[in-house]
């Protein structure tokens, strides 16, 4: 079998050879793919007693390479579909059902894997499964978790190139240039990130500190207005005076959190540039060094998309926005520096793994891909984690989807086989559950 590699439009040999794939109806309007490894030896049968659930918060991960690559090593894997948007806890039943399915197939230990925005979903699920829903029902929460009943906890969790949380990504993607909510054409030019007068350069922007501080403060002010507007609409819905009985559309112009809209990060390489501490850095030739980890990337975006509905607008509902995309920050302190994100009220939302991880006690692996700016979330998660068994590592030159960042290579093939380095490390880490 062959499948198209969307990274460079080449066909690569499918990695599912020898692995049985079964389509599962997860109920709750969800599907999943079950990857069953061949278990011919005692060692592989031992690995078959470990099951992994893979799920993103907003995307379909059923057919990605993550499932078969882990199954090739002997682990059972359920890779789930997730519909875009919606309330976070509405997706918890799919994870619960996947965990119970794996146990019914003989998995004695189960592990959650969250990649990118999947880390928001998986950490929120595991926190509630371990500690109960009450941890996310305090008055400080913008949205109080409403899941009913108990959830099946996993025995471990892997957060692979987690982003900074869906709430944080939505906040830092807000365009403060929007002057009229619902209109992507009325933009204030003083906030144009692609104006040379504001510090833009095609070979790497260098936004002045005063402009950055003012820009971030303006983002927080708009964020506060949007949260207030969504809360007002929720009150109207719940009182019976809304436009619908259950929910309403909530569309934010210049608010999409997809990569081209992560304000300043794709353009200014000084931001999120390196870790604070020293960590294991995996190389594509199989070697491992221990050092302060630096990002390896190039400028990626040369235009704004706020005026486009398809690329620039955040399309959700009132409940979905408040649950999965709203988080509070300090107008004075919100900042993106060389080593991380500051000024976030982590307790205001459970739409971020960095805030959720303190509630998790099972073993955790967090990894960052240095070819993309999400990688520093791994260190922020690791430093806030309190479980006794926690591990962290980075992959040199890997993109957010684990392939080599060829644009950042100084010589062809410089970063080697980043995917194999990643999956070998993950597979070895999973052996603690044998």
């Amino acid at each position: 079998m062959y499948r198209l590699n969307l990274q460079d439009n080449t066909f690569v040999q499918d990695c599912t050879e020898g692995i049985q794939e079964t389509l599962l109806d997860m109920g709750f309007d969800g599907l999943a793919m079950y990857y069953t490894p061949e278990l011919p030896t005692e060692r592989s049968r031992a690995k078959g007693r470990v099951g992994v659930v893979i799920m993103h918060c907003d995307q379909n991960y059923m057919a990605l390479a993550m499932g078969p690559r882990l199954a090739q090593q002997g682990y059972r894997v359920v890779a789930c579909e997730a519909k875009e948007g919606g309330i976070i806890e509405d997706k918890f039943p799919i994870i619960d059902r996947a965990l119970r399915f794996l146990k019914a197939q003989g998995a004695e230990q189960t592990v959650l894997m969250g990649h990118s925005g999947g880390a928001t979903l998986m950490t929120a699920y595991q926190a509630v499964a371990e500690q109960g829903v009450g941890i996310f029902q305090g008055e400080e929460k913008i949205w109080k978790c409403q899941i009913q009943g108990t959830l099946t906890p996993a025995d471990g969790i892997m957060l692979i190139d987690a982003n900074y949380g869906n709430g944080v990504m939505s906040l830092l993607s807000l365009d403060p240039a929007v002057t009229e909510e619902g209109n992507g054409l009325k933009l204030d030019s003083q906030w144009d990130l692609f104006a040379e007068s504001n510090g833009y350069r095609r070979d790497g922007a260098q936004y002045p500190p005063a402009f950055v501080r003012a820009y971030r403060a303006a983002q927080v002010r708009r964020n506060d207005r949007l949260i207030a507007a969504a809360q007002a609409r929720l009150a109207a819905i719940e009182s019976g005076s809304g436009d619908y009985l259950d929910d309403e559309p909530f569309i934010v112009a210049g608010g999409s959190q997809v990569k081209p809209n992560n304000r300043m990060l794709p353009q200014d390489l000084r931001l999120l540039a390196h870790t604070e501490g020293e960590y294991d850095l995996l190389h594509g030739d199989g070697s491992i060094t221990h050092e302060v980890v630096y990002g390896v990337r190039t400028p990626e975006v040369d235009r704004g998309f706020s005026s486009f509905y398809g690329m620039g607008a955040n399309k959700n509902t009132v409940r979905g926005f408040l649950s999965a995309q709203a988080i509070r920050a300090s107008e004075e302190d919100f900042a993106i520096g060389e080593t991380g994100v500051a000024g976030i009220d982590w307790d205001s939302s459970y739409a971020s793994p960095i805030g959720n991880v303190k509630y998790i006690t099972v073993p955790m692996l967090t990894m960052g891909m240095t070819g993309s700016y999400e990688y520093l979330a791994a260190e922020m998660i690791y430093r806030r984690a309190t479980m006794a068994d926690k591990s962290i590592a980075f992959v040199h030159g890997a993109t957010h989807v684990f392939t080599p960042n060829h644009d950042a290579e100084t010589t062809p093939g410089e970063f080697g086989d980043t995917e194999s380095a990643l999956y070998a490390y993950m597979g070895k880490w999973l052996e603690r559950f044998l």
Side-chain angles (χ1 to χ4, degrees), residues 395-410:
V395 182
H396 182 57
T399 65
H400 188 52
V401 293
F402 315 153
T403 55
N405 186 340
H406 295 301
D407 290 337
E409 290 178 333
T410 56

Side-chain angles (χ1 to χ4, degrees), residues 21-170:
E21 304 175 13
T22 305
L23 184 64
L24 304 175
D25 181 358
M26 303 306 293
F28 318 105
D29 195 28
L31 298 173
M33 190 72 77
Y34 175 42
Y35 294 96
T36 314
E38 292 184 346
L39 307 173
T41 67
E42 184 176 343
R43 181 66 171 172
S44 62
R45 285 192 291 274
K47 288 188 175 183
R49 292 194 289 271
V50 178
V52 180
V53 176
I54 302 173
M55 188 171 175
H56 192 275
C57 200
D58 300 292
Q59 296 179 18
N60 182 355
Y61 272 29
M62 291 168 56
L64 298 187
M66 302 170 190
R69 287 298 290 258
L70 291 175
Q72 274 186 324
Q73 300 183 54
Y75 302 106
R76 300 178 187 272
V77 181
V78 173
C80 302
E81 172 189 39
K83 299 296 193 299
E84 185 175 2
I87 301 170
I88 290 180
E89 59 261 31
D90 284 354
K91 302 169 188 184
F92 287 179
I94 295 177
I95 303 171
D96 182 74
R97 184 165 182 174
L99 289 169
R100 289 188 285 109
F101 171 84
L102 283 169
K103 289 181 178 293
Q105 304 309 307
E108 298 171 4
Q109 300 281 297
T110 55
V111 178
L112 302 178
M113 176 182 164
H115 165 249
S116 189
T120 290
L121 175 65
M122 292 305 201
T123 55
Y125 173 91
Q126 183 67 19
V128 172
E130 286 194 41
Q131 310 294 342
V133 70
I135 59 170
F136 292 151
Q137 291 183 329
E139 289 303 316
E140 74 282 358
K141 292 290 186 292
I142 295 170
W143 174 270
K144 296 175 177 57
C145 186
Q146 301 173 23
I147 192 74
Q148 301 293 317
T150 58
L151 300 171
T152 303
D155 301 295
I157 190 165
M158 299 188 295
L159 307 174
I160 310 302
D161 216 39
N163 65 22
Y164 302 90
N166 289 4
V168 176
M169 300 307 289
S170 292

